[in-house]
Amino acid sequence: GRVGSCYDNAVAESFFASLKKECVYPTVFGTRQQAYLIVADYIDNFYNTRRLHSTIGYQPPIEARQQHTRNTRQTSTGS
């Protein structure tokens, strides 16, 4: 791989640490299908919609995305 900034993987590593601590470790999965469904639910219905993220101003990713979209539209329209 290429040599790069030590921060290249920081966001991904933080995500997986949170996923393991908040979802995987406290749960006993009966099957792979159950694990898949529970992890998908955690990501879709908690991590992206309600969990606050310090790297994006202590807001959930869905809100940061919406704010970015609004700001981009305002900039492109000159408002």
Side-chain angles (χ1 to χ4, degrees):
R2 69 177 177 83
V3 177
S5 169
C6 62
Y7 301 108
D8 282 350
N9 293 321
V11 174
E13 289 178 14
S14 176
F15 164 74
F16 284 109
S18 297
L19 175 67
K20 289 185 228 180
K21 185 175 100 180
E22 297 172 357
C23 180
V24 175
Y25 294 152
T27 308
V28 176
F29 302 107
T31 64
R32 285 184 185 197
Q33 179 67 17
Q34 181 188 27
Y36 175 85
L37 293 172
I38 289 172
V39 169
D41 182 67
Y42 167 83
I43 294 168
D44 291 340
N45 297 311
F46 177 71
Y47 193 85
N48 286 336
T49 59
R50 290 184 284 169
R51 189 176 191 282
L52 305 179
H53 298 258
S54 62
T55 56
I56 52 176
Y58 292 96
Q59 57 186 345
I62 191 86
E63 289 180 19
R65 177 71 181 251
Q66 291 167 346
Q67 180 180 353
H68 174 74
T69 301
R70 283 191 303 272
N71 292 344
T72 302
R73 285 185 183 147
Q74 288 174 355
T75 302
S76 67
T77 61
S79 300

